[in-house]
Amino acid sequence: REVRPLGRYSTCRCRSRKLGGATVLTVAIFGLSSICVPHRWSSAFTDVKACQREPEVALTVAFVGNSFTYYNDLPHLVQGLLAGSLTGNATSVKVGACLHGGQSLESVWAKGARLKDEVHIGGHDMFPTVRALLSDACGWDVVVLQDYSSGPALQHSRAEGLKVLSKYYEPLLLQNSGSGRTPLVVLYQTWGYRKPNKKNLAILEFDNMTLKLEEGYRTYADQLRSASLEVAVAPAGQAFKRVHDASPDLWWNLYQSDDKHPTAVGSYLNGAHIATAIVDHPRFRGLFGAGLKLQMHWPSEVKPYDDAPPPSDKDLQRVLALAGPGGGPISA
């Protein structure tokens, strides 16, 4: 059958599968019973029976979410933060994602990734569906989940989120054991809008929305833990609140002009908290001898959204000093 690649990938995985057409020719040429297909094709195959993890890969991280995750290429930003903190012989971190702008955990499950959104994460590492991503042969050490920006703050959509986690995500997470263990689930707790949404003024004012999101993601965490999954919360919303209270001018600059999405400064703050949630987890501490090593400059290989200029080192230093990991108590 025809295989339609979703993007370009730099790694390769071996898969045991009887195929026809051109792929059989590949098997004949290499003379292997387990073929190696480009990673860009791998997500098309969901009945994978074999995995060969590259020896240089220390950690694998999957992302499911929407534009709050793909703005400023958060997956590869986190990848760089983690890789720069590794110790030992394994020196790289592999990432994958299923992202679709404007979607919730429920609708990204139903619709899958949006092809044109892959450009926002460097044009690679996007899987077509959540099922394809979470069914990857090698499994994932970490899965980062992000719901619709206001979803966990509102009772009706929070209830729907809990149902979707139970019906669709938990079964796949529990069987996602290519590495021998179920993944650590990191919940990417988002923040209130800079300006209230006119349809929900009482809920969607910044302080209250941020508080309601914290409550919602805590509820998600409780349910996932009750399903025997390990969970950490990356408290990005609470970090935005700390900046809001300490430096209103810097807080204003955490947002794009739409008053919702993060600028590169905001994404760097978020990435630092996601990476810290991973590095500080007991399962992975042995990979990071000195903890997370934050570089006070924007990585050149990661492109800010819409070709915006990278943030200044000074702004990164300011935001991390106010609300970065280790900058004071944040409940999660």
Side-chain angles (χ1 to χ4, degrees), residues 113-176:
R114 184 166 58 185
L115 179 58
K116 69 177 184 179
D117 290 341
E118 191 176 42
V119 68
H120 302 306
I121 61 167
H124 55 98
D125 293 338
M126 190 83 88
F127 284 64
T129 65
V130 177
R131 181 179 293 278
L133 176 68
L134 298 185
S135 299
D136 185 78
C138 291
W140 298 96
D141 298 313
V142 181
V143 174
V144 180
L145 299 179
Q146 178 249 317
D147 204 352
Y148 186 71
S149 57
S150 63
L154 304 170
Q155 287 294 338
H156 66 282
S157 50
R158 183 187 301 178
E160 286 302 313
L162 291 168
K163 290 179 184 177
V164 168
L165 286 172
S166 177
K167 183 176 181 180
Y168 299 117
Y169 287 83
E170 288 171 15
L172 274 181
L173 291 167
L174 288 168
Q175 71 183 32
N176 184 283

Side-chain angles (χ1 to χ4, degrees), residues 4 24 29 40 54 95 99 124 136 164 192 219 222 228 297 329:
R4 188 161 169 247
V24 167
I29 291 173
R40 63 176 183 169
E54 298 86 348
V95 298
L99 308 172
H124 55 98
D136 185 78
V164 168
T219 303
D222 289 343
S228 300
H297 59 268

